[in-house]
């Protein structure tokens, strides 16, 4: 799709964006009142608090992350108490070696609080979490997924930024090299020539040799799982931003990957700008949307529009971000007319094959939707960090 053919201007979309942010604030208050101390992952029939299997524990930062964003966007101080207390529960996870998701956990929470307060203890936790994540490095030069040392996930591109961040704060060149090599291995083995992405890469643990592309949550190994593509375009944009100025990174090398992924998304997405949960579903497979992939893409495209220097490209990515938000702000995706639906964004898919969170609200969909709204309302990506 060519976004400029159809997309609204930021100014014309502001009433819808603000209405969506109001809805998000209402749903966040509902969760705080109805489910005290709860960290949501996915709804069941539109209700929180009924998750079955979590598969892995990667979502606990998203709800407090929404509270930090709401405080930032509205100045309302009542968000601060619950944002702080839910974020504090994550502190022990700065040492968590069981998951590859420490960027998801700490960028959404501790980094936002650190930007607000500059408290040294928050910085210490962020640095330790970055060091812990770096311990996942394997012989093949990548940070491995929670499944084991043989497995590289595209999702880790959303987390490796924490290693870059810790490297910048401490000046530790080893951390910097580990993060850079992870990005290069991901670009080489999981991003295809046309900008599409594989979810997983399988390696020989002894030699570090890449063996094949695979998938856990996509349709199949050679398809493009929509959320994986979204993680890639957002994650490589963040890597570009955080790696800049570091030694041994070719200027623009990660930006070029992000751009290829973004162009693949825009080439393949339907006219609504919201993708099915995998771009390569055969006709017999259920064609469910993944609104979370669209929300992540909208937020990532906003950042990408600020990272590129060509004004035509800036305009194209920004228009695409707004076109996605325009669709997500309609009744088809927002439960404006469905007060019984407790999530913010409907029609996400967590794990189709396992039957988890299929056609539901999902914590990261809600989080990145609110993040994209906040960026678009403020007119700058800084509002989301
Ligand atoms: N495992 C991360 C995701 O579901 O996107």
């Amino acid at each position: 799709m060519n976004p400029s053919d159809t997309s609204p201007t930021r100014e014309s979309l502001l009433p819808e964006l603000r209405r969506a942010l109001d809805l998000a604030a209402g749903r966040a208050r509902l969760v705080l009142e109805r489910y005290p101390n709860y960290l949501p992952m996915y709804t069941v029939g539109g209700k929180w608090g009924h998750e079955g299997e979590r598969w892995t524990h990667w979502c606990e930062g998203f709800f407090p992350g929404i509270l930090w964003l709401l405080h930032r966007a509205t100045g309302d101080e009542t968000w601060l108490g619950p944002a702080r207390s839910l974020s504090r529960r994550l502190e022990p996870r700065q040492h968590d070696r069981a998951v590859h998701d420490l960027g998801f956990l700490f960028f959404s929470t501790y980094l936002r609080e650190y930007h607000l307060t500059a408290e040294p203890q928050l910085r210490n936790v962020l640095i330790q979490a970055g060091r812990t994540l770096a311990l996942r490095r394997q012989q093949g030069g990548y940070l491995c997924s929670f499944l084991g040392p043989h497995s590289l996930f595209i999702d880790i591109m959303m987390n490796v930024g924490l290693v870059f961040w810790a490297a910048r704060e401490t000046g530790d060149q080893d951390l910097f090299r580990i993060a850079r090599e992870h990005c290069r291995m991901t670009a080489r083995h999981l991003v295809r020539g046309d900008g599409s992405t594989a979810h997983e890469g399988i390696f020989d643990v002894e030699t570090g040799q890449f063996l094949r592309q695979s998938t856990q949550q996509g349709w199949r190994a050679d398809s493009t799982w929509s959320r994986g593509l979204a993680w890639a375009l957002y994650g490589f944009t963040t890597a570009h931003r955080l790696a800049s100025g570091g030694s041994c990174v070719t200027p623009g090398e990660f930006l070029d990957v992000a751009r290829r992924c973004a162009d693949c998304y825009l080439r393949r997405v339907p006219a609504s700008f919201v993708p099915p949960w995998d771009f390569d579903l055969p006709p017999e497979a259920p064609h469910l949307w993944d609104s979370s992939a669209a929300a992540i893409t909208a937020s990532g495209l906003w950042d990408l529009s600020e990272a590129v220097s060509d004004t035509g490209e800036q305009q194209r990515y920004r228009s695409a971000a707004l076109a996605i938000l325009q669709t997500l702000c309609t009744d088809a995706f927002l439960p404006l007319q469905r007060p019984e639906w407790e999530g913010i964004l409907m029609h996400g898919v967590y794990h189709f094959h396992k039957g988890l969170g299929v056609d539901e609200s999902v914590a990261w969909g809600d989080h990145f939707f609110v993040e994209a709204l906040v960026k678009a309302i403020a007119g700058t990506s800084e509002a989301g960090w």
Side-chain angles (χ1 to χ4, degrees):
M1 285 302 297
N2 185 353
S4 50
D5 294 346
T6 49
S7 58
T9 63
R10 177 178 156 271
E11 288 68 25
S12 69
L13 201 57
L14 277 173
E16 273 121 298
L17 300 177
R18 292 202 175 107
R19 188 178 59 154
L21 196 67
D22 285 348
L23 176 123
R27 291 304 195 269
R29 290 222 186 279
L30 177 153
V31 171
L32 289 171
E33 284 161 22
R34 209 172 276 177
Y35 305 97
N37 294 318
Y38 168 63
L39 294 170
M41 188 171 195
Y42 56 87
T43 59
V44 175
K47 304 284 186 214
W48 295 116
H50 297 279
E51 285 92 345
E53 186 192 335
R54 285 194 173 228
W55 192 39
T56 165
H57 291 267
W58 63 286
C59 290
E60 291 75 10
F62 293 133
F63 182 64
I66 290 173
L67 306 183
W68 287 115
L69 286 166
L70 287 169
H71 169 259
R72 176 84 182 256
T74 63
D76 180 344
E77 306 233 323
T78 62
W79 297 113
L80 284 177
R84 269 205 190 99
S85 66
L86 291 173
S87 298
R88 265 330 148 268
R89 285 181 40 198
L90 303 180
E91 190 147 326
R93 298 196 61 189
Q94 65 187 297
H95 303 291
D96 186 346
R97 296 191 60 181
V99 300
H100 56 254
D101 303 296
L102 299 185
F104 282 134
L105 297 180
F106 288 100
F107 269 180
S108 54
T109 54
Y110 274 65
L111 187 61
R112 288 189 176 128
E113 187 174 358
Y114 181 60
H115 284 155
L116 192 66
T117 65
E119 278 172 41
Q121 173 55 12
L122 301 169
R123 176 177 175 273
N124 293 343
V125 170
L126 285 157
I127 290 171
Q128 178 55 54
R131 290 198 186 284
T132 302
L133 184 58
L135 296 174
R136 305 190 75 79
R137 179 180 165 85
Q138 301 299 311
Q139 174 73 14
Y142 57 90
L143 305 172
C144 69
S145 86
F146 80 105
L147 290 178
H150 62 287
S151 165
L152 163 67
F153 274 14
I154 195 74
D155 325 16
I156 302 171
M157 280 309 304
M158 290 296 285
N159 295 286
V160 68
L162 187 58
V163 183
F164 277 125
W165 194 90
R168 287 171 71 110
E169 289 293 313
T170 58
D172 183 332
Q173 291 304 305
D174 278 345
L175 282 181
F176 192 80
R177 185 177 49 81
I178 288 168
R180 184 198 64 203
E181 286 311 300
H182 176 84
C183 297
R184 286 186 175 161
M185 287 301 122
T186 305
R188 181 182 303 170
H189 298 300
L190 299 191
V191 183
R192 307 184 185 111
D194 64 354
S196 69
T197 50
H199 182 192
E200 187 181 25
I202 305 294
F203 289 77
D204 181 318
V205 178
E206 299 302 322
T207 64
Q209 186 190 351
F210 174 72
L211 299 176
R212 65 179 182 281
Q213 294 186 347
S214 175
T215 197
Q216 296 293 324
Q217 288 161 276
W219 178 250
R220 54 184 226 185
D222 61 349
S223 72
T224 299
W225 174 49
S226 307
R227 192 158 66 253
L229 183 61
W231 291 144
L233 85 83
Y234 190 135
F236 277 103
T237 304
T238 304
H240 166 75
R241 182 165 54 83
L242 293 175
S244 68
S247 57
C248 308
V249 171
T250 314
E253 71 170 298
F254 300 140
L255 190 63
D256 286 345
V257 185
R259 207 191 252 127
R260 264 197 292 139
C261 294
D263 292 347
C264 176
Y265 183 99
L266 295 177
R267 206 168 49 245
R268 300 198 58 189
V269 77
S272 65
F273 287 92
V274 177
W277 64 275
D278 191 296
F279 278 103
D280 297 299
L281 292 174
E284 69 273 17
H287 276 244
L288 300 166
W289 289 304
D290 181 11
S291 58
S292 77
I296 296 156
T297 300
S299 191
L301 283 172
W302 198 279
D303 296 358
L304 186 57
S305 76
E306 292 180 2
V308 293
S309 49
D310 177 79
T311 48
E313 240 187 338
Q314 288 170 356
Q315 190 53 42
R316 180 160 175 268
Y317 293 139
R318 185 164 296 213
S319 296
L322 291 169
I324 293 171
L325 287 175
Q326 184 177 38
T327 300
L328 295 182
C329 285
T330 63
D331 286 347
F333 288 94
L334 273 194
L336 290 158
Q337 311 301 330
R338 298 188 60 182
E340 82 291 355
W341 190 277
E342 295 179 342
I344 297 170
L345 198 57
M346 301 186 290
H347 306 306
V349 174
Y350 176 25
H351 199 312
F352 179 82
H353 304 297
K354 283 180 175 284
L356 304 176
V358 176
D359 201 15
E360 294 287 347
S361 288
V362 292
W364 57 93
D366 286 3
H367 172 270
F368 287 103
F369 177 58
V370 173
E371 187 185 86
L373 286 176
V374 165
K375 288 176 185 175
I377 289 170
T380 168
S381 67
E382 271 185 49
W385 297 337

